[in-house]
């Protein structure tokens, strides 16, 4: 039942909040797996899609789509591209590989 402004909470009371948000649309371009090994996944990221949930995007993100719609995960982002940029994105299938490749990219 909805609470009032002067209602006092007691032990075991449950407070919940429901928010309905509309995400900005993204281009309807399929996510393409370019290469895959036991340790690495290479994806051709379409434009308009952020790499991970952020700001006004939650479901319309590359990591969410890979996990929920393609059954890929858990994945570790090795590098990222801006939302509007398309191109190849590397994901490690484990933390050790992801960290090693991040270091190789930096040097």
């Amino acid at each position: 039942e909805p609470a009032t402004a002067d209602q006092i909470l007691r032990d075991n009371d449950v407070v919940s909040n429901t928010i309905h948000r509309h995400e900005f649309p993204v281009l309807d371009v399929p996510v393409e797996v370019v290469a895959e090994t036991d340790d690495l996944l290479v994806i051709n990221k379409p434009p308009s899609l952020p790499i991970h949930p952020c700001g006004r995007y939650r479901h319309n993100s590359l990591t969410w789509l890979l996990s929920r719609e393609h059954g890929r995960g858990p994945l570790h982002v090795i590098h990222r591209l801006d939302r509007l940029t398309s191109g190849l994105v590397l994901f490690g299938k484990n933390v050790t590989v992801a960290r090693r490749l991040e270091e190789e990219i930096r040097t």
Side-chain angles (χ1 to χ4, degrees):
E1 66 188 60
T4 62
D6 61 339
Q7 187 170 355
I8 298 173
L9 294 176
R10 309 234 186 267
D11 287 344
N12 296 321
D13 282 353
V14 175
V15 178
S16 66
N17 182 5
T18 303
I19 297 175
H20 180 80
R21 294 184 181 167
H22 291 277
E23 292 190 25
F24 287 114
V26 296
L27 295 176
D28 187 18
V29 178
V31 173
E32 176 189 0
V33 175
V34 175
E36 183 171 11
T37 67
D38 290 338
D39 296 325
L40 189 66
L41 180 65
V42 181
I43 299 293
N44 187 14
K45 182 187 98 57
S48 84
L49 192 62
I51 296 289
H52 47 78
C54 59
R56 295 182 177 176
Y57 294 91
R58 178 169 180 199
H59 300 291
N60 288 338
S61 68
L62 184 58
T63 55
W64 192 91
L65 289 172
L66 288 171
S67 175
R68 300 291 185 198
E69 293 186 7
H70 298 277
R72 307 281 183 153
L75 296 172
H76 305 276
V77 179
I78 295 171
H79 73 98
R80 67 174 199 86
L81 298 174
D82 290 337
R83 181 177 61 84
L84 297 176
T85 305
S86 64
L88 299 180
V89 179
L90 304 172
F91 291 94
K93 291 186 176 180
N94 62 63
V95 174
T96 305
V97 169
R99 286 183 181 159
R100 182 174 45 91
L101 289 173
E102 285 174 15
E103 284 297 318
E104 288 182 24
I105 289 172
R106 277 191 219 129
T107 57

